[in-house]
Amino acid sequence: MSNVNYQLSAGDMISIHVYGEDDLTLQTRLGESGMINYPYLGLLTAKGMTVSGLEQRISDGLRGDYLINPSVHVSVTEYRPFYIYGEVNKPGGYPYQPGLTIERAVALAGGLTERASTNGIVVNRLVSGKKTTLTVRLSASVYPDDSIVIKESFF
């Protein structure tokens, strides 16, 4: 999942900046509804949209009535977390970062315990609205909302 295709959802902190229009600058965390209340435009659904899609939606909404040619920039300032538990030293939720792998997620969680298995790594992920369980390697990508389980090795 590249940043271009990243879909916004509850838990993401976003920043909206309109060049030269400080009163239209907004920083907000998306709640469960995935809606934002934006000046002049009211409630907008951000959940499920890409950053560029939301930029376009706000630009289109502001163009004409409010601004001639608005320059809108939307960025994710903090991604929703992923979760890692099982045989790691510091299990819990951690902020997602683009390019994150299982190996890097394990490092964020303080490394593997001595009982950890690197063969039995399971990721629970929502794919098209359905919970999916995958067995992955340390090099696999991590996505926001993933639950990573590092199992104990039996030897």
Side-chain angles (χ1 to χ4, degrees), residues 77-118:
T77 55
E78 187 183 301
Y79 293 89
R80 59 193 182 274
F82 69 93
Y83 303 89
I84 184 165
Y85 51 99
E87 296 300 319
V88 290
N89 290 308
K90 295 184 206 154
Y94 293 89
Y96 168 78
Q97 301 157 12
L100 198 63
T101 61
I102 300 288
E103 187 174 32
R104 290 177 182 163
V106 164
L108 286 172
L112 297 171
T113 67
E114 55 194 38
R115 294 196 312 266
S117 166
T118 54

Side-chain angles (χ1 to χ4, degrees), residues 6 8 10-11 16-17 27-28 35-36 65 70 98 121 137 141 145:
Y6 181 80
L8 299 168
I16 302 168
H17 181 76
Q27 182 148 351
T28 187
M35 310 279 283
I36 55 172
D65 290 345
I121 302 170
R137 298 172 187 255
S141 294
D145 295 329

